[in-house]
Every structure is written in structure tokens, then in C-alpha cells.
């Protein structure tokens, strides 16, 4: 019983032909949106993202049908649906008051350039479908290699475009980059040897028998990113084979602990085939002592990988690049361009010091990726890949190294400024001092801070737990009210006997975030706190009873 709905489009050969050949008219819905976005993206997002959050369960109702439509929609009609239900309930990650994410505002030029990228729709897996994009991507990898390792010009002339070598891999993000690095490290550790054709060919089981290891592990600080666990999992080692090493009061790995662990493993005939240094932890932005880790890796014969997904861009700054000293001794380095290099999501890289290292994962196929071809796909985990490298290439040219330096320096100095605001404020406590542009802090009224110093262990724990709840509450309330956003995490600060503590986490990478905004964020938090102390009376009662008890003594 067909009910004819005149408002619906029809799936006809003509209409299909139309969507492939006729552009959206300037006065059409999408045409108008395009214009608005190119003229003022921020205004567009301000207008279309709803000020108040809808509960997720409500949003899910708009996305609840599993039916693929039997009838097509008109573009304009569907666009309205997307604006209403999707855009309105998305997150304004580029807002200068949203200082809790690692994604920030993007330069405008990237939008039309992305359109060129999508329009060309190149596939970087092989030259046949990417042509000049392949040399461009190889050049980008060379530029990043140069940023880390500073080889002579002749080095890059020799290796950048060499068919059987690769200075690294461009990929969708830090996770794939880390997996690729450890994949190369694993295959190098279990390489072909005599009759044994290598782990890549014969698998882990036979490799372990051949080499006679009891187990295979990777060492990283307890602040290491969770993607490393995924890596040991997909590499067939299991998540337990990522061994966390204690950190010091600045969230940096304790080198002595790592050395002790390496000795212990050696005695047990367990092969630590890689150690990972973190250059910018995701939670606090601290950097491991890379020079010392490089020494350890050399001494114990491990692959040395540096996860600089977040902090790698600091190398652009002549002022701050020394924070990453020792990174030039890493065998491989992960850098995310979609974090502090300000390109859109989907741009990660792993760079290898030695251009021959990636042969450990080289893969050939007859119909593509023939031996001796310059196809990038023979050294990447991913298959089909977009021309994303073009956006990074354009940014490196348009912004330039000194431009990036200004962005990086400004971010770090902004974090230092925010840290001083927190330190001067009687009701907030800085938890982690910013090394890069990340810091953590929490709300704790001045009198409660006094009480904490006097409390016995039991009272102290009770008070700290109440402060945890409060921090959580403030963060949630602030997010829901939609004006500004900081994130929240739980860390184990040494200063508080490694007690798991809830803290605000702030990332100051958005160049449009002003000092005024930062003051506003603290004011808003204090306002929420004042109101909520009524619903959290415990903090005040406990505080007062501890302080009175002291007076009485
Ligand atoms: C972000 C991040 C990753 C993961 O990168 P994705 O791009 O999210 O896959 C890995 N390590 C560190 C230190 C990071 O900050």
C-alpha cells in the first residue's frame, strides 16, 4: 500500500546523475552554509551549536533507527536535519573558552584546502592513484625527520625519495604511529636468522622458540598513553607486556626504576625489545628524561621509541626545544599533526632515525606495491589513505617554523600565566606545574587547605574525598552550562602520597584563548563552588571542626 509522499525525493537514474554532476546552488541550504562557514566559522558554530546540553539519552533517540532509508532525502532537507540534530549537539572544540581538549582552533586556509583534498580524492597507498602527492608526503616526512634529527642535506637527498626506504609513515594519528613503531621494533628484535624466516613470516610462536625468550615486553612510564597497550595487544604480546614504571614528583619516569626492571627482566630471560619515552604526557604534559632513556636503551640493546604525539611540536620552538633533549637519539618518534601542528583530525606520523628500519615491516603485493616501487603503502599499516599530508605541507609553508615557534611559546607562556593565577588564588591549588601548555589543579577553599595541614589521616582522607566530589561536580556543572570547558582526570600526585586525586586538566593550545578568558574560567568555577558548598556542606563542617579542634588543643 504505497503512500505517496510528495516531499520525498525519488531514487531515479536522473537524480543520481544529478548529485554527481550538479553542484549545490549558492542560494541552496548547503550553498548558504558554505558561505557562512567561510565568512565566520566561529559565528556559524556559535549560532548552530545549542547553548544547553541535551542528555545523551535524548540525543540517542534521534539516531535510533537501524533502517537504511528506502527513499532518498533532498539535500536541503537532510542538511536541516543534520544542523538540528547533529551540529546543534556537537562540541565547539575551537571555542577559545574550551580549554580542556587537545584539539583547538584551525587556521581558515585549511577549509578550502581540505575541499581541494577531498575533490582530488587521491589515494596515497600507491603512486598510480596519488602521483605528486607521494613525493609531497615523502617530503613532509623528511621535514619532520629533519626537525627531530637534523641530518645533513645530503642525507635527505639520498633517502627522502628512495624506493626501498622510508623515513617514516603518515597515518591517522598517534595510536597507529605508536603501533607502527613497536611493530618495527618487534620485527627487528625477532628478525630472520639462519633457517628462521623472521616473526613477520613465521609468527610469534615460532619466533619465541627460535630465539628462546621467555617473554617479550615493552617498558614505559606509568603515564604512558593507553594506545601503547593496544599496540602490545595487536602485536600478539598482550597488554600485560606493557610494563609501567613509576614516575617522580614531576610525572617523569624514574630512570633507576627502569634500570632495575631491565636487570630483573634480563635475569628472567625476558626480552625488553623496546623502551618508550613520553615527550608530553597526555594528562600533565611532562617530558621524560630522554637523554637518560637513550643511554639505557643503548646499554640494554632495546629499540628506543619516543611518544611525542603531543609534545613533538615543541621542537619548532628554539626557546623550548631543549626540553626534548635526547629525542634525536630515539630510533623512532611519534608526532601528531592534529594536535600542536594545528591541522584537522586524522594526521599522525611516526618517524624513524634510520631509513632502513622500516624494511622490517615492508610488504609487497603483485598488483600494487611492487618491489622497487616508491609506493608508500609498502611501509604503512593502513591501506587506502587520504592526501592529508597536503594540509600539513601547506601549514608548514604558510605558518613556517618561526610561526609555529610563536604558537608554541605563546601556549607555554599562557599556561605559566594560568598557573600563576591559580597559585595566587586562595581557593585553588595547582597540582602539576606546566612544563608544556598543560596543567592540572583543583578547587580547595583556603580554610580547607589549612584544615588539611592539621587533619589526622582519617579526617584528611574524608576531606580529600569530599574535594574530589566537588571538583567533579564543578567540572560537570561548568561543562553543562556551556560557556567554558575544562577537562577532568584522576592522577596520583607524589605530594599527596600518590593518592588518586580528581583534578581539573587544562590544555592551553588555542591561540585565541586570552588572559581575560582564563580569569573568567576561574571566576566561573568559584561561583559554581560557592553555590554548591550549600549542597556539599560536608567540606565546611569538616573544615571547621578540624580547625576548632586545633584551637581547643
Ligand atoms: C594523543 C596521544 C596519543 C594518541 O594519538 P591519537 O592521535 O589520539 O591516536 C598517543 N600518545 C600521546 C602522548 C598522546 O598525547
Amino acid at each position: 500500500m504505497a503512500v505517496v509522499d510528495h516531499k520525498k525525493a525519488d531514487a531515479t537514474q536522473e537524480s543520481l546523475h544529478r548529485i554527481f554532476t550538479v553542484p549545490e546552488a549558492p542560494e541552496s541550504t548547503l550553498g548558504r552554509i558554505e558561505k557562512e562557514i567561510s565568512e565566520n566559522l566561529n559565528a556559524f558554530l556559535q549560532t548552530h551549536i545549542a547553548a544547553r546540553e541535551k542528555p545523551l539519552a535524548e540525543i540517542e533517540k534521534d539516531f535510533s533507527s537501524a533502517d537504511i532509508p528506502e527513499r532518498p532525502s533532498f539535500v536541503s532537507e537532510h542538511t536541516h536535519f543534520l544542523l538540528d540534530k547533529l551540529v546543534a549537539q556537537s562540541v565547539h572544540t575551537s571555542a577559545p573558552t574550551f580549554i580542556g581538549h587537545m584539539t583547538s582552533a584551525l587556521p581558515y586556509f585549511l577549509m578550502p584546502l581540505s575541499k581541494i583534498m577531498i575533490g582530488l580524492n587521491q589515494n596515497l597507498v600507491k603512486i598510480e592513484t596519488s602521483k605528486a602527492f607521494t613525493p609531497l608526503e615523502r617530503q613532509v616526512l623528511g621535514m619532520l625527520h629533519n626537525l627531530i634529527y637534523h641530518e645533513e642535506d645530503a642525507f635527505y637527498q639520498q633517502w627522502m625519495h628512495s624506493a626501498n626506504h622510508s623515513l617514516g609513515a603518515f597515518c591517522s594519528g598517534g595510536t597507529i604511529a605508536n603501533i607502527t613503531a613497536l611493530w618495527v621494533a618487534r620485527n627487528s628484535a625477532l628478525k630472520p636468522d639462519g633457517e628462521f624466516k623472521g616473526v613477520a613470516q613465521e609468527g610469534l610462536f615460532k619466533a619465541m622458540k627460535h630465539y628462546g625468550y621467555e617473554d617479550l615486553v615493552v617498558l614505559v612510564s606509568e603515564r604512558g598513553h593507553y594506545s601503547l597497550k593496544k599496540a602490545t595487544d595487536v602485536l600478539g604480546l598482550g597488554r600485560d607486556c606493557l610494563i609501567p614504571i613509576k614516575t617522580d614528583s614531576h610525572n617523569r619516569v624514574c630512570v633507576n626504576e627502569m634500570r632495575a626492571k631491565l636487570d630483573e627482566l634480563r635475569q628472567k630471560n625476558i626480552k625488553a625489545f623496546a623502551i618508550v619515552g613520553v615527550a608530553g604526557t597526555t594528562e600533565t604534559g611532562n617530558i621524560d628524561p630522554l637523554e637518560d632513556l637513550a643511554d639505557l636503551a643503548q646499554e640494554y640493546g632495546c629499540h628506543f621509541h619516543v611518544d611525542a604525539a603531543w609534545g613533538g611540536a615543541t621542537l619548532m620552538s628554539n626557546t623550548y626545544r631543549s626540553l626534548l633533549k635526547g629525542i634525536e637519539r630515539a630510533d623512532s618518534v611519534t608526532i601528531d599533526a592534529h594536535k600542536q601542528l594545528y591541522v584537522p583530525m586524522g594526521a599522525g606520523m611516526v618517524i624513524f632515525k634510520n631509513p632502513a628500519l622500516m624494511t622490517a615491516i615492508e610488504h609487497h603485493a603483485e598488483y600494487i606495491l611492487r618491489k622497487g616501487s616508491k609506493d608508500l603503502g609498502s611501509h604503512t599499516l593502513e591501506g587506502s589513505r587520504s592526501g592529508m599530508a597536503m594540509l600539513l605541507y601547506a601549514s608548514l609553508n604558510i605558518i613556517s617554523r618561526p610561526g609555529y615557534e610563536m604558537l608554541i611559546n605563546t601556549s607555554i607562556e599562557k599556561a605559566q600565566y594560568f598557573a600563576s593565577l591559580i597559585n595566587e588564588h586562595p581557593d585553588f591549588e595547582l597540582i602539576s606545574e606546566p612544563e608544556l601548555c598543560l596543567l592540572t589543579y583543583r578547587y580547595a577553599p583556603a580554610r580547607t587547605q589549612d584544615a588539611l595541614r592539621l587533619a589526622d589521616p582519617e579526617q584528611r582522607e574524608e576531606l580529600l574525598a569530599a574535594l574530589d566530589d566537588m571538583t567533579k561536580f564543578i567540572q560537570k556543572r561548568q561543562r553543562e552550562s556551556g560557556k567554558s570547558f575544562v577537562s577532568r582526570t584522576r592522577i596520583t600526585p607524589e605530594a599527596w602520597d600518590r593518592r588518586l586525586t580528581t583534578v581539573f586538566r587544562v590544555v592551553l593550545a588555542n591561540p585565541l584563548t586570552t588572559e581575560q578568558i582564563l580569569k573568567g574560567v576561574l571566576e566561573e568555577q568559584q561561583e559554581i563552588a560557592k553555590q554548591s558548598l550549600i549542597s556539599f556542606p560536608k567540606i565546611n563542617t569538616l573544615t571547621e571542626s578540624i580547625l576548632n579542634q586545633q584551637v581547643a588543643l
Side-chain angles (χ1 to χ4, degrees):
M1 206 186 62
V3 179
V4 181
D5 178 356
H6 289 288
K7 283 217 282 297
K8 278 278 179 188
D10 267 317
T12 62
Q13 290 293 349
E14 286 84 346
S15 65
L16 286 178
H17 190 253
R18 221 179 120 78
I19 60 170
F20 281 94
T21 51
V22 182
E24 295 300 314
E27 68 280 4
S28 69
T29 311
L30 265 184
R32 273 181 294 151
I33 289 175
E34 269 200 292
K35 188 160 177 286
E36 276 180 58
I37 288 182
S38 2
E39 280 167 5
N40 191 343
L41 176 68
N42 199 39
F44 173 84
L45 296 175
Q46 290 289 2
T47 320
H48 291 280
I49 298 181
R52 285 228 158 239
E53 270 194 31
K54 207 154 114 178
L56 199 58
E58 285 291 302
I59 298 174
E60 282 166 355
K61 287 185 192 146
D62 294 326
F63 300 94
S64 60
S65 165
D67 294 335
I68 297 173
E70 272 301 316
R71 306 219 32 201
S73 302
F74 287 113
V75 174
S76 60
E77 180 194 358
H78 186 65
T79 304
H80 281 295
F81 172 85
L82 291 177
L83 282 180
D84 258 18
K85 306 294 185 195
L86 184 71
V87 178
Q89 295 303 325
S90 61
V91 178
H92 195 343
T93 53
S94 60
T97 51
F98 280 37
I99 52 174
H101 302 290
M102 285 185 154
T103 36
S104 95
L106 297 173
Y108 262 111
F109 65 79
L110 287 173
M111 295 219 279
L113 282 179
S114 320
K115 229 173 141 172
I116 297 181
M117 181 188 97
I118 290 173
L120 285 168
N121 204 23
Q122 305 290 290
N123 185 350
L124 273 287
V125 72
K126 54 184 169 146
I127 292 189
E128 253 172 55
T129 51
S130 63
K131 210 53 180 297
F133 273 69
T134 289
L136 171 138
E137 187 169 296
R138 283 178 172 273
Q139 186 188 359
V140 167
L141 293 170
M143 288 160 126
L144 269 292
H145 190 287
N146 195 0
L147 180 71
I148 301 163
Y149 298 110
H150 289 306
E151 297 289 353
E152 300 285 320
D153 203 36
F155 174 93
Y156 296 103
Q157 294 319 313
Q158 182 175 2
W159 302 116
M160 213 155 55
H161 298 289
S162 161
N164 295 315
H165 298 83
S166 194
L167 296 179
F170 204 96
C171 53
S172 66
T175 300
I176 302 293
N178 282 339
I179 292 175
T180 305
L182 293 181
W183 184 20
V184 166
R186 186 201 68 170
N187 287 12
S188 306
L190 305 175
K191 60 177 181 286
D193 174 40
E195 293 279 283
F196 175 61
K197 289 186 291 207
V199 67
Q201 199 60 36
E202 296 196 28
L204 204 52
F205 187 70
K206 287 181 190 150
M208 297 298 272
K209 276 214 294 210
H210 177 83
Y211 280 99
Y213 296 134
E214 282 299 314
D215 208 349
L216 218 52
V217 298
V218 178
L219 272 56
V220 68
S221 107
E222 57 189 343
R223 300 272 181 277
H225 192 266
Y226 60 85
S227 57
L228 296 165
K229 272 203 182 141
K230 294 186 186 174
T232 56
D233 181 356
V234 299
L235 290 173
L237 314 175
R239 293 177 199 171
D240 287 350
C241 287
L242 183 76
I243 299 190
I245 306 292
K246 241 182 76 175
T247 49
D248 64 15
S249 54
H250 292 287
N251 302 294
R252 297 176 194 135
V253 73
C254 299
V255 179
N256 289 340
E257 299 263 340
M258 193 176 279
R259 173 184 293 278
K261 193 59 165 181
L262 284 166
D263 285 333
E264 179 197 321
L265 292 165
R266 196 179 252 180
Q267 295 223 318
K268 292 187 187 159
N269 191 27
I270 294 173
K271 174 76 179 167
F273 70 98
I275 64 179
V276 180
V278 190
T281 64
T282 315
E283 280 161 312
T284 58
N286 292 111
I287 300 159
D288 282 341
L290 302 179
E291 198 85 71
D292 296 345
L293 293 183
D295 288 342
L296 268 193
Q298 201 170 354
E299 198 180 325
Y300 288 81
C302 322
H303 179 106
F304 179 35
H305 176 63
V306 173
D307 183 0
W310 171 255
T314 313
L315 296 171
M316 292 283 190
S317 164
N318 291 341
T319 316
Y320 293 107
R321 75 167 284 144
S322 60
L323 290 173
L324 274 70
K325 205 169 168 320
I327 196 172
E328 70 286 350
R329 293 174 62 195
D331 295 300
S332 56
V333 175
T334 287
I335 295 188
D336 258 346
H338 61 218
K339 288 178 178 165
Q340 291 195 94
L341 291 174
Y342 300 91
V343 305
M345 210 70 65
M349 281 162 293
V350 57
I351 307 291
F352 291 88
K353 181 173 193 160
N354 175 350
L357 253 185
M358 282 196 103
T359 50
I361 58 164
E362 200 169 273
H363 193 94
H364 295 286
E366 267 319 310
Y367 76 107
I368 63 169
L369 317 179
R370 289 175 200 94
K371 280 199 175 130
S373 81
K374 296 187 174 185
D375 298 340
L376 288 159
S378 54
H379 294 107
T380 55
L381 176 56
E382 290 163 287
S384 296
R385 275 186 312 108
S386 73
M388 204 64 180
M390 178 186 99
L391 301 187
L392 178 54
Y393 181 76
S395 300
L396 291 171
N397 280 283
I398 294 170
I399 297 174
S400 82
R401 206 273 317 150
Y404 274 116
E405 161 147 30
M406 279 183 217
L407 289 168
I408 296 287
N409 292 1
T410 311
S411 298
I412 294 178
E413 282 145 26
K414 213 179 288 174
Q416 290 164 354
Y417 169 78
F418 195 44
S420 71
L421 277 189
I422 294 165
N423 276 330
E424 284 159 19
H425 201 297
D427 296 339
F428 287 96
E429 264 184 314
L430 189 65
I431 311 279
S432 59
E433 202 69 61
E435 195 172 0
L436 299 177
C437 66
L438 261 79
L439 60 83
T440 59
Y441 66 106
R442 74 164 171 194
Y443 176 77
R447 280 182 74 76
T448 306
Q449 292 185 38
D450 291 339
L452 276 173
R453 280 185 276 276
L454 302 168
D456 65 35
E458 204 176 310
Q459 293 168 321
R460 191 177 150 82
E461 177 51 38
E462 206 175 343
L463 206 44
L464 287 172
L467 283 176
D468 283 346
D469 292 343
M470 181 86 166
T471 302
K472 191 171 160 185
F473 178 86
I474 297 172
Q475 190 268 349
K476 219 165 150 245
R477 185 53 70 79
Q478 189 168 30
R479 192 195 73 205
E480 283 163 1
S481 77
K483 273 199 300 232
S484 48
F485 171 80
V486 306
S487 52
R488 159 167 59 90
T489 185
R490 294 200 300 164
I491 54 174
T492 49
E494 174 131 308
W496 294 321
D497 312 320
R498 304 190 155 264
R499 180 188 175 279
L500 193 61
T501 303
T502 305
V503 294
F504 301 121
R505 167 177 171 272
V506 157
V507 186
L508 291 167
N510 190 330
L512 306 177
T513 304
T514 59
E515 295 190 346
Q516 208 47 47
I517 287 175
L518 296 178
K519 285 183 189 150
V521 167
L522 281 193
E523 277 160 24
E524 193 187 2
Q525 290 184 329
Q526 200 184 21
E527 204 44 52
I528 299 172
K530 273 191 188 140
Q531 288 162 19
S532 58
L533 274 172
I534 302 162
S535 41
F536 282 89
K538 196 168 163 192
I539 292 181
N540 277 343
T541 4
L542 260 171
T543 299
E544 296 313 321
S545 84
I546 294 168
L547 293 175
N548 287 336
Q549 174 192 328
Q550 288 298 319
V551 173
L553 281 177

